[in-house]
mmCIF file of all heavy atoms in Angstrom:
data_model
loop_
_atom_site.group_PDB
_atom_site.id
_atom_site.type_symbol
_atom_site.label_atom_id
_atom_site.label_comp_id
_atom_site.label_asym_id
_atom_site.label_seq_id
_atom_site.Cartn_x
_atom_site.Cartn_y
_atom_site.Cartn_z
ATOM 1 N N VAL A 871 14.858 5.852 -14.829
ATOM 2 C CA VAL A 871 15.861 5.306 -15.754
ATOM 3 C C VAL A 871 17.199 6.026 -15.691
ATOM 4 O O VAL A 871 18.158 5.626 -16.369
ATOM 5 C CB VAL A 871 15.330 5.323 -17.213
ATOM 6 C CG1 VAL A 871 14.040 4.516 -17.314
ATOM 7 C CG2 VAL A 871 15.112 6.746 -17.711
ATOM 8 N N HIS A 872 17.309 7.070 -14.873
ATOM 9 C CA HIS A 872 18.546 7.851 -14.848
ATOM 10 C C HIS A 872 19.729 7.029 -14.331
ATOM 11 O O HIS A 872 19.610 6.253 -13.380
ATOM 12 C CB HIS A 872 18.372 9.082 -13.960
ATOM 13 C CG HIS A 872 19.650 9.835 -13.748
ATOM 14 N ND1 HIS A 872 20.230 10.610 -14.735
ATOM 15 C CD2 HIS A 872 20.478 9.907 -12.663
ATOM 16 C CE1 HIS A 872 21.339 11.137 -14.262
ATOM 17 N NE2 HIS A 872 21.517 10.722 -13.006
ATOM 18 N N SER A 873 20.859 7.217 -14.967
ATOM 19 C CA SER A 873 22.121 6.616 -14.510
ATOM 20 C C SER A 873 23.281 7.361 -15.133
ATOM 21 O O SER A 873 23.197 7.823 -16.279
ATOM 22 C CB SER A 873 22.177 5.131 -14.895
ATOM 23 O OG SER A 873 23.425 4.583 -14.522
ATOM 24 N N ASN A 874 24.377 7.493 -14.383
ATOM 25 C CA ASN A 874 25.579 8.136 -14.912
ATOM 26 C C ASN A 874 26.394 7.197 -15.787
ATOM 27 O O ASN A 874 27.304 7.627 -16.506
ATOM 28 C CB ASN A 874 26.456 8.661 -13.768
ATOM 29 C CG ASN A 874 25.793 9.794 -13.006
ATOM 30 O OD1 ASN A 874 25.086 10.614 -13.600
ATOM 31 N ND2 ASN A 874 26.002 9.851 -11.697
ATOM 32 N N ARG A 875 26.092 5.914 -15.747
ATOM 33 C CA ARG A 875 26.808 4.933 -16.561
ATOM 34 C C ARG A 875 26.134 4.791 -17.918
ATOM 35 O O ARG A 875 24.924 4.608 -18.031
ATOM 36 C CB ARG A 875 26.827 3.576 -15.857
ATOM 37 C CG ARG A 875 27.648 3.561 -14.578
ATOM 38 C CD ARG A 875 27.686 2.175 -13.970
ATOM 39 N NE ARG A 875 28.168 1.168 -14.920
ATOM 40 C CZ ARG A 875 28.388 -0.106 -14.589
ATOM 41 N NH1 ARG A 875 28.162 -0.511 -13.352
ATOM 42 N NH2 ARG A 875 28.817 -0.955 -15.499
ATOM 43 N N THR A 876 26.931 4.885 -18.967
ATOM 44 C CA THR A 876 26.389 4.810 -20.323
ATOM 45 C C THR A 876 25.948 3.400 -20.699
ATOM 46 O O THR A 876 25.147 3.228 -21.618
ATOM 47 C CB THR A 876 27.436 5.300 -21.344
ATOM 48 O OG1 THR A 876 28.633 4.506 -21.198
ATOM 49 C CG2 THR A 876 27.776 6.764 -21.120
ATOM 50 N N ASP A 877 26.470 2.399 -19.984
ATOM 51 C CA ASP A 877 26.114 1.020 -20.323
ATOM 52 C C ASP A 877 24.978 0.480 -19.449
ATOM 53 O O ASP A 877 24.745 -0.726 -19.400
ATOM 54 C CB ASP A 877 27.342 0.108 -20.196
ATOM 55 C CG ASP A 877 27.898 0.089 -18.773
ATOM 56 O OD1 ASP A 877 27.527 0.981 -17.973
ATOM 57 O OD2 ASP A 877 28.709 -0.817 -18.471
ATOM 58 N N ASN A 878 24.266 1.377 -18.756
ATOM 59 C CA ASN A 878 23.179 0.900 -17.891
ATOM 60 C C ASN A 878 22.012 0.395 -18.741
ATOM 61 O O ASN A 878 21.854 0.773 -19.900
ATOM 62 C CB ASN A 878 22.715 2.027 -16.957
ATOM 63 C CG ASN A 878 21.793 3.017 -17.657
ATOM 64 O OD1 ASN A 878 20.584 2.814 -17.705
ATOM 65 N ND2 ASN A 878 22.376 4.095 -18.205
ATOM 66 N N LEU A 879 21.182 -0.435 -18.139
ATOM 67 C CA LEU A 879 20.061 -1.045 -18.867
ATOM 68 C C LEU A 879 18.703 -0.633 -18.293
ATOM 69 O O LEU A 879 17.696 -1.291 -18.560
ATOM 70 C CB LEU A 879 20.181 -2.572 -18.818
ATOM 71 C CG LEU A 879 21.381 -3.207 -19.508
ATOM 72 C CD1 LEU A 879 21.362 -4.721 -19.309
ATOM 73 C CD2 LEU A 879 21.391 -2.872 -21.005
ATOM 74 N N TYR A 880 18.675 0.465 -17.553
ATOM 75 C CA TYR A 880 17.413 0.833 -16.905
ATOM 76 C C TYR A 880 16.299 1.106 -17.910
ATOM 77 O O TYR A 880 15.158 0.676 -17.724
ATOM 78 C CB TYR A 880 17.614 2.057 -16.002
ATOM 79 C CG TYR A 880 18.343 1.713 -14.715
ATOM 80 C CD1 TYR A 880 19.629 2.182 -14.474
ATOM 81 C CD2 TYR A 880 17.735 0.920 -13.744
ATOM 82 C CE1 TYR A 880 20.303 1.854 -13.307
ATOM 83 C CE2 TYR A 880 18.404 0.590 -12.565
ATOM 84 C CZ TYR A 880 19.686 1.056 -12.356
ATOM 85 O OH TYR A 880 20.349 0.737 -11.199
ATOM 86 N N ARG A 881 16.609 1.834 -18.979
ATOM 87 C CA ARG A 881 15.586 2.112 -19.995
ATOM 88 C C ARG A 881 15.086 0.819 -20.622
ATOM 89 O O ARG A 881 13.886 0.624 -20.809
ATOM 90 C CB ARG A 881 16.149 3.027 -21.085
ATOM 91 C CG ARG A 881 16.386 4.454 -20.650
ATOM 92 C CD ARG A 881 17.017 5.277 -21.778
ATOM 93 N NE ARG A 881 17.381 6.596 -21.307
ATOM 94 C CZ ARG A 881 16.568 7.652 -21.324
ATOM 95 N NH1 ARG A 881 15.355 7.521 -21.812
ATOM 96 N NH2 ARG A 881 16.971 8.817 -20.873
ATOM 97 N N GLN A 882 16.027 -0.052 -20.958
ATOM 98 C CA GLN A 882 15.660 -1.292 -21.641
ATOM 99 C C GLN A 882 14.838 -2.218 -20.738
ATOM 100 O O GLN A 882 13.868 -2.828 -21.180
ATOM 101 C CB GLN A 882 16.913 -2.008 -22.134
ATOM 102 C CG GLN A 882 17.651 -1.292 -23.267
ATOM 103 C CD GLN A 882 18.633 -0.239 -22.769
ATOM 104 O OE1 GLN A 882 18.578 0.196 -21.607
ATOM 105 N NE2 GLN A 882 19.553 0.173 -23.631
ATOM 106 N N VAL A 883 15.245 -2.319 -19.471
ATOM 107 C CA VAL A 883 14.532 -3.211 -18.555
ATOM 108 C C VAL A 883 13.136 -2.662 -18.252
ATOM 109 O O VAL A 883 12.150 -3.421 -18.222
ATOM 110 C CB VAL A 883 15.333 -3.417 -17.247
ATOM 111 C CG1 VAL A 883 14.511 -4.219 -16.237
ATOM 112 C CG2 VAL A 883 16.654 -4.123 -17.542
ATOM 113 N N LEU A 884 13.022 -1.350 -18.038
ATOM 114 C CA LEU A 884 11.702 -0.775 -17.780
ATOM 115 C C LEU A 884 10.788 -0.956 -18.999
ATOM 116 O O LEU A 884 9.591 -1.247 -18.851
ATOM 117 C CB LEU A 884 11.824 0.705 -17.430
ATOM 118 C CG LEU A 884 10.549 1.350 -16.873
ATOM 119 C CD1 LEU A 884 10.124 0.693 -15.566
ATOM 120 C CD2 LEU A 884 10.733 2.854 -16.676
ATOM 121 N N LEU A 885 11.358 -0.811 -20.183
ATOM 122 C CA LEU A 885 10.589 -1.024 -21.404
ATOM 123 C C LEU A 885 10.141 -2.481 -21.511
ATOM 124 O O LEU A 885 8.986 -2.760 -21.881
ATOM 125 C CB LEU A 885 11.424 -0.634 -22.626
ATOM 126 C CG LEU A 885 10.803 -0.877 -23.998
ATOM 127 C CD1 LEU A 885 9.473 -0.143 -24.136
ATOM 128 C CD2 LEU A 885 11.775 -0.432 -25.095
ATOM 129 N N ALA A 886 11.019 -3.407 -21.171
ATOM 130 C CA ALA A 886 10.656 -4.827 -21.192
ATOM 131 C C ALA A 886 9.544 -5.114 -20.184
ATOM 132 O O ALA A 886 8.653 -5.932 -20.442
ATOM 133 C CB ALA A 886 11.878 -5.691 -20.901
ATOM 134 N N CYS A 887 9.575 -4.434 -19.035
ATOM 135 C CA CYS A 887 8.500 -4.580 -18.046
ATOM 136 C C CYS A 887 7.164 -4.107 -18.632
ATOM 137 O O CYS A 887 6.119 -4.723 -18.426
ATOM 138 C CB CYS A 887 8.809 -3.771 -16.791
ATOM 139 S SG CYS A 887 10.194 -4.410 -15.808
ATOM 140 N N ALA A 888 7.223 -3.001 -19.383
ATOM 141 C CA ALA A 888 6.006 -2.461 -19.982
ATOM 142 C C ALA A 888 5.461 -3.370 -21.079
ATOM 143 O O ALA A 888 4.249 -3.436 -21.309
ATOM 144 C CB ALA A 888 6.272 -1.071 -20.544
ATOM 145 N N LEU A 889 6.356 -4.089 -21.756
ATOM 146 C CA LEU A 889 5.955 -4.985 -22.838
ATOM 147 C C LEU A 889 5.625 -6.389 -22.362
ATOM 148 O O LEU A 889 5.048 -7.190 -23.106
ATOM 149 C CB LEU A 889 7.071 -5.066 -23.889
ATOM 150 C CG LEU A 889 7.305 -3.810 -24.743
ATOM 151 C CD1 LEU A 889 8.592 -3.949 -25.528
ATOM 152 C CD2 LEU A 889 6.126 -3.566 -25.676
ATOM 153 N N ALA A 890 6.007 -6.707 -21.123
ATOM 154 C CA ALA A 890 5.746 -8.046 -20.581
ATOM 155 C C ALA A 890 4.249 -8.314 -20.532
ATOM 156 O O ALA A 890 3.448 -7.413 -20.289
ATOM 157 C CB ALA A 890 6.348 -8.172 -19.182
ATOM 158 N N LYS A 891 3.874 -9.559 -20.752
ATOM 159 C CA LYS A 891 2.466 -9.922 -20.754
ATOM 160 C C LYS A 891 1.940 -9.924 -19.319
ATOM 161 O O LYS A 891 2.379 -10.713 -18.491
ATOM 162 C CB LYS A 891 2.275 -11.304 -21.378
ATOM 163 C CG LYS A 891 0.812 -11.676 -21.563
ATOM 164 C CD LYS A 891 0.667 -12.996 -22.303
ATOM 165 C CE LYS A 891 -0.815 -13.338 -22.503
ATOM 166 N NZ LYS A 891 -0.980 -14.609 -23.236
ATOM 167 N N PRO A 892 0.987 -9.039 -19.008
ATOM 168 C CA PRO A 892 0.475 -8.966 -17.629
ATOM 169 C C PRO A 892 -0.774 -9.812 -17.454
ATOM 170 O O PRO A 892 -1.386 -10.282 -18.427
ATOM 171 C CB PRO A 892 0.120 -7.481 -17.504
ATOM 172 C CG PRO A 892 -0.343 -7.108 -18.884
ATOM 173 C CD PRO A 892 0.442 -7.971 -19.856
ATOM 174 N N ASP A 893 -1.162 -10.006 -16.185
ATOM 175 C CA ASP A 893 -2.451 -10.631 -15.927
ATOM 176 C C ASP A 893 -3.516 -9.546 -15.958
ATOM 177 O O ASP A 893 -3.239 -8.383 -16.273
ATOM 178 C CB ASP A 893 -2.431 -11.390 -14.595
ATOM 179 C CG ASP A 893 -2.156 -10.489 -13.390
ATOM 180 O OD1 ASP A 893 -2.350 -9.252 -13.488
ATOM 181 O OD2 ASP A 893 -1.739 -11.006 -12.335
ATOM 182 N N GLU A 894 -4.760 -9.897 -15.618
ATOM 183 C CA GLU A 894 -5.853 -8.936 -15.743
ATOM 184 C C GLU A 894 -5.744 -7.780 -14.767
ATOM 185 O O GLU A 894 -6.432 -6.765 -14.908
ATOM 186 C CB GLU A 894 -7.201 -9.633 -15.555
ATOM 187 C CG GLU A 894 -7.405 -10.263 -14.204
ATOM 188 C CD GLU A 894 -8.745 -10.968 -14.069
ATOM 189 O OE1 GLU A 894 -9.376 -11.227 -15.099
ATOM 190 O OE2 GLU A 894 -9.136 -11.253 -12.927
ATOM 191 N N ARG A 895 -4.857 -7.895 -13.772
ATOM 192 C CA ARG A 895 -4.653 -6.794 -12.829
ATOM 193 C C ARG A 895 -3.389 -6.003 -13.140
ATOM 194 O O ARG A 895 -2.952 -5.182 -12.338
ATOM 195 C CB ARG A 895 -4.589 -7.334 -11.395
ATOM 196 C CG ARG A 895 -5.897 -7.963 -10.931
ATOM 197 C CD ARG A 895 -5.862 -8.309 -9.460
ATOM 198 N NE ARG A 895 -7.114 -8.887 -9.002
ATOM 199 C CZ ARG A 895 -7.378 -9.222 -7.748
ATOM 200 N NH1 ARG A 895 -6.454 -9.025 -6.816
ATOM 201 N NH2 ARG A 895 -8.535 -9.742 -7.416
ATOM 202 N N GLY A 896 -2.805 -6.264 -14.301
ATOM 203 C CA GLY A 896 -1.622 -5.514 -14.709
ATOM 204 C C GLY A 896 -0.347 -5.997 -14.075
ATOM 205 O O GLY A 896 0.686 -5.324 -14.172
ATOM 206 N N GLN A 897 -0.358 -7.161 -13.440
ATOM 207 C CA GLN A 897 0.837 -7.698 -12.790
ATOM 208 C C GLN A 897 1.582 -8.617 -13.747
ATOM 209 O O GLN A 897 0.969 -9.311 -14.564
ATOM 210 C CB GLN A 897 0.450 -8.468 -11.528
ATOM 211 C CG GLN A 897 -0.236 -7.615 -10.477
ATOM 212 C CD GLN A 897 -0.649 -8.408 -9.254
ATOM 213 O OE1 GLN A 897 -0.796 -9.625 -9.298
ATOM 214 N NE2 GLN A 897 -0.840 -7.720 -8.142
ATOM 215 N N PHE A 898 2.903 -8.627 -13.636
ATOM 216 C CA PHE A 898 3.727 -9.491 -14.483
ATOM 217 C C PHE A 898 4.822 -10.134 -13.636
ATOM 218 O O PHE A 898 5.232 -9.602 -12.598
ATOM 219 C CB PHE A 898 4.342 -8.696 -15.641
ATOM 220 C CG PHE A 898 5.106 -7.473 -15.221
ATOM 221 C CD1 PHE A 898 6.464 -7.537 -14.925
ATOM 222 C CD2 PHE A 898 4.469 -6.241 -15.097
ATOM 223 C CE1 PHE A 898 7.173 -6.411 -14.530
ATOM 224 C CE2 PHE A 898 5.163 -5.101 -14.695
ATOM 225 C CZ PHE A 898 6.522 -5.196 -14.406
ATOM 226 N N SER A 899 5.281 -11.281 -14.071
ATOM 227 C CA SER A 899 6.325 -12.011 -13.352
ATOM 228 C C SER A 899 7.683 -11.711 -13.972
ATOM 229 O O SER A 899 7.767 -11.290 -15.138
ATOM 230 C CB SER A 899 6.049 -13.513 -13.432
ATOM 231 O OG SER A 899 6.171 -13.953 -14.775
ATOM 232 N N PRO A 900 8.766 -11.920 -13.241
ATOM 233 C CA PRO A 900 10.103 -11.741 -13.829
ATOM 234 C C PRO A 900 10.309 -12.596 -15.078
ATOM 235 O O PRO A 900 10.953 -12.149 -16.033
ATOM 236 C CB PRO A 900 11.039 -12.167 -12.693
ATOM 237 C CG PRO A 900 10.276 -11.865 -11.444
ATOM 238 C CD PRO A 900 8.842 -12.191 -11.790
ATOM 239 N N THR A 901 9.761 -13.789 -15.094
ATOM 240 C CA THR A 901 9.928 -14.664 -16.256
ATOM 241 C C THR A 901 9.348 -14.038 -17.524
ATOM 242 O O THR A 901 9.907 -14.203 -18.620
ATOM 243 C CB THR A 901 9.231 -16.026 -16.001
ATOM 244 O OG1 THR A 901 9.751 -16.581 -14.802
ATOM 245 C CG2 THR A 901 9.488 -16.985 -17.149
ATOM 246 N N SER A 902 8.247 -13.301 -17.373
ATOM 247 C CA SER A 902 7.599 -12.702 -18.545
ATOM 248 C C SER A 902 8.396 -11.539 -19.128
ATOM 249 O O SER A 902 8.096 -11.066 -20.233
ATOM 250 C CB SER A 902 6.192 -12.221 -18.186
ATOM 251 O OG SER A 902 6.245 -11.165 -17.238
ATOM 252 N N ILE A 903 9.425 -11.089 -18.414
ATOM 253 C CA ILE A 903 10.270 -9.994 -18.902
ATOM 254 C C ILE A 903 11.340 -10.514 -19.864
ATOM 255 O O ILE A 903 11.846 -9.782 -20.717
ATOM 256 C CB ILE A 903 10.936 -9.265 -17.712
ATOM 257 C CG1 ILE A 903 9.862 -8.679 -16.792
ATOM 258 C CG2 ILE A 903 11.890 -8.165 -18.170
ATOM 259 C CD1 ILE A 903 10.408 -8.142 -15.478
ATOM 260 N N ILE A 904 11.672 -11.780 -19.742
ATOM 261 C CA ILE A 904 12.816 -12.337 -20.488
ATOM 262 C C ILE A 904 12.661 -12.160 -21.990
ATOM 263 O O ILE A 904 13.586 -11.684 -22.671
ATOM 264 C CB ILE A 904 13.004 -13.828 -20.134
ATOM 265 C CG1 ILE A 904 13.426 -13.968 -18.664
ATOM 266 C CG2 ILE A 904 14.050 -14.465 -21.055
ATOM 267 C CD1 ILE A 904 13.501 -15.410 -18.176
ATOM 268 N N GLU A 905 11.523 -12.544 -22.531
ATOM 269 C CA GLU A 905 11.340 -12.499 -23.992
ATOM 270 C C GLU A 905 11.423 -11.089 -24.560
ATOM 271 O O GLU A 905 12.190 -10.838 -25.501
ATOM 272 C CB GLU A 905 10.007 -13.149 -24.377
ATOM 273 C CG GLU A 905 9.812 -13.230 -25.887
ATOM 274 C CD GLU A 905 8.522 -13.936 -26.265
ATOM 275 O OE1 GLU A 905 7.928 -14.605 -25.406
ATOM 276 O OE2 GLU A 905 8.109 -13.812 -27.439
ATOM 277 N N PRO A 906 10.669 -10.102 -24.024
ATOM 278 C CA PRO A 906 10.796 -8.756 -24.581
ATOM 279 C C PRO A 906 12.182 -8.148 -24.381
ATOM 280 O O PRO A 906 12.678 -7.440 -25.267
ATOM 281 C CB PRO A 906 9.718 -7.953 -23.843
ATOM 282 C CG PRO A 906 9.365 -8.739 -22.639
ATOM 283 C CD PRO A 906 9.588 -10.173 -22.993
ATOM 284 N N LEU A 907 12.838 -8.432 -23.252
ATOM 285 C CA LEU A 907 14.167 -7.876 -23.036
ATOM 286 C C LEU A 907 15.175 -8.503 -24.001
ATOM 287 O O LEU A 907 16.060 -7.809 -24.518
ATOM 288 C CB LEU A 907 14.610 -8.093 -21.584
ATOM 289 C CG LEU A 907 15.950 -7.456 -21.213
ATOM 290 C CD1 LEU A 907 15.926 -5.939 -21.442
ATOM 291 C CD2 LEU A 907 16.316 -7.747 -19.758
ATOM 292 N N SER A 908 15.045 -9.779 -24.255
ATOM 293 C CA SER A 908 15.935 -10.440 -25.222
ATOM 294 C C SER A 908 15.790 -9.806 -26.596
ATOM 295 O O SER A 908 16.778 -9.598 -27.317
ATOM 296 C CB SER A 908 15.618 -11.938 -25.298
ATOM 297 O OG SER A 908 15.841 -12.567 -24.058
ATOM 298 N N SER A 909 14.566 -9.482 -26.980
ATOM 299 C CA SER A 909 14.322 -8.849 -28.273
ATOM 300 C C SER A 909 14.910 -7.443 -28.311
ATOM 301 O O SER A 909 15.502 -7.036 -29.314
ATOM 302 C CB SER A 909 12.813 -8.803 -28.542
ATOM 303 O OG SER A 909 12.543 -8.231 -29.783
ATOM 304 N N ILE A 910 14.770 -6.711 -27.219
ATOM 305 C CA ILE A 910 15.296 -5.344 -27.153
ATOM 306 C C ILE A 910 16.816 -5.338 -27.198
ATOM 307 O O ILE A 910 17.443 -4.520 -27.895
ATOM 308 C CB ILE A 910 14.792 -4.644 -25.869
ATOM 309 C CG1 ILE A 910 13.280 -4.408 -25.952
ATOM 310 C CG2 ILE A 910 15.521 -3.321 -25.628
ATOM 311 C CD1 ILE A 910 12.639 -4.042 -24.624
ATOM 312 N N LEU A 911 17.460 -6.254 -26.467
ATOM 313 C CA LEU A 911 18.925 -6.311 -26.387
ATOM 314 C C LEU A 911 19.544 -7.069 -27.565
ATOM 315 O O LEU A 911 20.772 -7.029 -27.744
ATOM 316 C CB LEU A 911 19.351 -6.984 -25.080
ATOM 317 C CG LEU A 911 18.932 -6.294 -23.771
ATOM 318 C CD1 LEU A 911 19.395 -7.114 -22.577
ATOM 319 C CD2 LEU A 911 19.503 -4.877 -23.702
ATOM 320 N N ASN A 912 18.700 -7.770 -28.325
ATOM 321 C CA ASN A 912 19.175 -8.606 -29.439
ATOM 322 C C ASN A 912 20.146 -9.685 -28.963
ATOM 323 O O ASN A 912 21.095 -10.047 -29.656
ATOM 324 C CB ASN A 912 19.840 -7.743 -30.529
ATOM 325 C CG ASN A 912 19.936 -8.484 -31.851
ATOM 326 O OD1 ASN A 912 19.137 -9.372 -32.145
ATOM 327 N ND2 ASN A 912 20.943 -8.140 -32.649
ATOM 328 N N ARG A 913 19.899 -10.184 -27.779
ATOM 329 C CA ARG A 913 20.652 -11.309 -27.217
ATOM 330 C C ARG A 913 19.807 -11.948 -26.128
ATOM 331 O O ARG A 913 18.889 -11.313 -25.600
ATOM 332 C CB ARG A 913 22.001 -10.858 -26.653
ATOM 333 C CG ARG A 913 21.921 -9.817 -25.547
ATOM 334 C CD ARG A 913 23.319 -9.415 -25.078
ATOM 335 N NE ARG A 913 23.321 -8.274 -24.186
ATOM 336 C CZ ARG A 913 23.115 -8.302 -22.883
ATOM 337 N NH1 ARG A 913 22.867 -9.468 -22.281
ATOM 338 N NH2 ARG A 913 23.148 -7.203 -22.148
ATOM 339 N N GLN A 914 20.098 -13.173 -25.814
ATOM 340 C CA GLN A 914 19.303 -13.885 -24.819
ATOM 341 C C GLN A 914 19.518 -13.290 -23.424
ATOM 342 O O GLN A 914 20.650 -13.180 -22.950
ATOM 343 C CB GLN A 914 19.668 -15.371 -24.799
ATOM 344 C CG GLN A 914 18.840 -16.209 -23.832
ATOM 345 C CD GLN A 914 17.351 -16.185 -24.137
ATOM 346 O OE1 GLN A 914 16.957 -16.303 -25.291
ATOM 347 N NE2 GLN A 914 16.532 -16.012 -23.113
ATOM 348 N N ALA A 915 18.428 -12.880 -22.808
ATOM 349 C CA ALA A 915 18.499 -12.336 -21.446
ATOM 350 C C ALA A 915 18.116 -13.418 -20.446
ATOM 351 O O ALA A 915 17.359 -14.338 -20.758
ATOM 352 C CB ALA A 915 17.562 -11.137 -21.319
#
Side-chain angles (χ1 to χ4, degrees):
V871 302
H872 173 73
S873 177
N874 293 324
R875 293 183 55 175
T876 57
D877 61 345
N878 79 87
L879 296 178
Y880 285 112
R881 289 177 187 271
Q882 292 86 344
V883 174
L884 191 62
L885 176 58
C887 291
L889 290 169
K891 187 175 181 179
D893 61 20
E894 62 181 16
R895 295 188 179 183
Q897 298 178 339
F898 54 89
S899 66
T901 304
S902 65
I903 300 170
I904 294 174
E905 184 177 345
L907 184 59
S908 298
S909 181
I910 292 166
L911 298 178
N912 198 27
R913 59 181 170 84
Q914 183 60 44

